[in-house]
Amino acid sequence: MNIVILAAGQGKRMRSAQPKVLHCLAGKSMLSHVLETARAVGRTRAGATRIVVVIGHGADRVRARFEQEADVGFVVQEPQLGTGHAVRQAIPLLDETQPTLVLYGDVPLLREATLARLLDTATDGKHEGIGLLTVRRSEPTGYGRVVRDWHGNVLKIVEERDATEDERKITEVNTGILIAPTALLKRWLDGLSNNNAQREYYLPDVIAQAVHEGMRVAAVTAEDINETQGVNSKAELASLERIAQRRIAERLMNEGATIADPERIDVRGEMSVGADVFIDVGCVFEGRVELGAGARIGPHNVIRDCSIGAGTEVMGFCFLERATIGARARIGPFARTRPDVTLGDEVHIGNFVEVKNSSMGHGSKANHLAYVGDALVGKRVNIGAGTIVANYDGANKHQTVIEDDVHTGSNSVLVAPITVGSGATVGAGSTVAKQVPPGKLTVARARQATIEGWSRPTKKRK
Ligand code: UD1
Ligand code: CA
């Protein structure tokens, strides 16, 4: 089938330099949401799907963003003379033997199931007809109204500004989404006039033409008003964001997560959870996040592109980025991982600890106030409070190797590149810049001395 996505409009009310359809919902642009739905519905049909996006305002930026996606074609509508004119621009790229579904780049929450219902209703046996998606709104102002005859058959769509007083009382409105046989659609679009209040070529006018030719228009009413809701302003974007988040939260709960408050979770990417995961309030999950069974995520964490093992607990207020964390680990509160961290099972990363581009083996701990950067840390290592791995000499970064069973004393500095041999202990307050042999205590600090006969200076009399 063919799918045309309209995305040429300016979206003035967004008050943004960014094209409207590139604004994000749940971490993905509105147009990506629509493309995903389009692909999903395309897959339910035999044969290939041709997707054509009609662009205009900010065309270059929209095209640049989706250029990599081989299954998407673009056509520029310039100037923008209305929705009918927009679809007309796409016709040369369509397969006229297959029907065309029209979607909107700024209607991001439409469900595949609703479209499937529209497609089924429009198809009468083998015969492809016209299907129109409508919705009931208690406040229909601004929308095109669906005018039906006494038998309930759809006659036409009339835009707000062209409607009579009686027609304006109709609460069933046009969503804009429709499907029609392509060859007929082309002919009807060629026959459109702009003799209306807005001097535009209206796509919904094809309905009256079809009816005039004796065709039946199958109307399907969307049950969930949010699905067909377009975004025209930041406020509308924010209200759909909450709905999108609620849908994601429901899916996670179905997968077994307990969510302290489904209204206070933000997922901006792909997320999967095992059974008995617990997520406290105020967490933001970005990119690809996996939580193993029984993982517990405390309040107010930001977790981006992480895999967190079964039974691991992330306490409150952590910022974790690109980390792979094993099972039964304990992270935070107030921990920070920067990209490319691998933590084994039962690792503890405590308060005010930062780990970057490092790995830590099974059971190793950095419980308080430490920086571990560019380090390979073995198993059962204890990084003392205030330990700093000095990985940067001001020009280059170097690696530090800390072998199994090492203990570093409080406030020690390990100047890279060095290896701290297995079982070594580094005395508190040491700065070590040479190899530290295994199994021994290495101390590198001034010896403690007590000065006999010393007295404190006293204040001089004036
Ligand atoms: C349109 C429908 C109206 C329906 C409403 C639902 C028409 C004439 N009216 O009204 O019946 O109730 O949607 O939201 O279709 N676009 C283009 N090129 C253009 C004009 C618009 O690509 O030349 C795109 C816009 O970017 C937008 C969509 O089409 O995504 C709808 O355009 P908009 O101007 O918002 O239509 P409405 O007047 O709201
Ligand atoms: Ca609109």
Side-chain angles (χ1 to χ4, degrees), residues 394-458:
N396 296 299
K397 292 191 173 132
H398 304 278
Q399 197 180 51
T400 298
V401 177
I402 303 174
E403 294 179 349
D404 295 348
D405 301 300
V406 163
H407 287 194
T408 68
S410 299
N411 215 31
S412 49
V413 179
L414 314 179
V415 182
I418 56 165
T419 295
V420 182
S422 68
T425 299
V426 176
S430 296
T431 295
V432 292
K434 292 185 228 148
Q435 303 307 328
V436 176
K440 295 179 181 164
L441 169 66
T442 297
V443 186
R445 64 169 185 243
R447 250 175 212 287
Q448 182 166 332
T450 303
I451 312 299
E452 298 299 337
W454 178 84
S455 61
R456 249 182 223 169
T458 52

Side-chain angles (χ1 to χ4, degrees), residues 139-344:
E139 184 39 84
T141 307
Y143 291 90
R145 309 298 205 280
V146 180
V147 181
R148 293 178 185 253
D149 68 13
W150 284 109
H151 305 287
N153 298 314
V154 173
L155 292 179
K156 62 173 177 176
I157 307 294
V158 54
E159 293 303 304
E160 170 90 19
R161 289 212 247 163
D162 304 297
T164 63
E165 211 171 299
D166 277 347
E167 286 167 339
R168 285 188 187 152
K169 288 181 187 143
I170 298 170
T171 55
E172 185 184 15
V173 306
N174 174 32
T175 64
I177 292 150
L178 57 79
I179 181 161
T182 304
L184 291 175
L185 186 62
K186 174 172 188 283
R187 184 156 56 75
W188 295 328
L189 290 173
D190 286 336
L192 286 182
S193 105
N194 67 347
N195 187 12
N196 52 50
Q198 301 183 77
R199 296 268 146 219
E200 283 183 5
Y201 297 93
Y202 292 163
L203 173 64
D205 280 358
V206 302
I207 300 295
Q209 292 197 57
V211 171
H212 185 73
E213 292 179 14
M215 283 189 73
R216 191 184 69 90
V217 174
V220 164
T221 305
E223 276 150 24
D224 174 0
I225 196 166
N226 299 313
E227 272 194 62
T228 63
Q229 183 65 53
V231 170
N232 295 302
S233 65
K234 297 272 169 69
E236 286 172 355
L237 183 65
S239 93
L240 287 200
E241 176 74 29
R242 286 334 303 163
I243 290 153
Q245 292 302 336
R246 180 81 213 189
R247 281 191 190 175
I248 295 168
E250 269 159 28
R251 175 179 62 78
L252 296 175
M253 291 188 284
N254 286 336
E255 288 175 16
T258 299
I259 299 180
D261 182 355
E263 306 297 333
R264 283 185 287 168
I265 179 171
D266 288 86
V267 179
R268 301 175 189 152
E270 311 296 327
M271 182 164 173
S272 68
V273 294
D276 297 314
V277 157
F278 173 76
I279 301 169
D280 213 328
V281 299
C283 293
V284 178
F285 298 94
E286 297 183 334
R288 201 170 270 283
V289 174
E290 281 170 43
L291 303 181
R296 294 181 68 82
I297 309 298
H300 303 289
N301 282 291
V302 177
I303 299 182
R304 178 184 296 157
D305 293 312
C306 288
S307 158
I308 294 178
T312 286
E313 179 166 18
V314 178
M315 283 174 273
F317 309 100
C318 296
F319 195 120
L320 310 179
E321 209 179 347
R322 241 154 74 196
T324 303
I325 302 175
R328 301 175 307 283
R330 218 170 66 209
I331 312 294
F334 302 103
R336 165 86 164 112
T337 67
R338 282 163 52 208
D340 301 322
V341 163
T342 304
L343 305 178

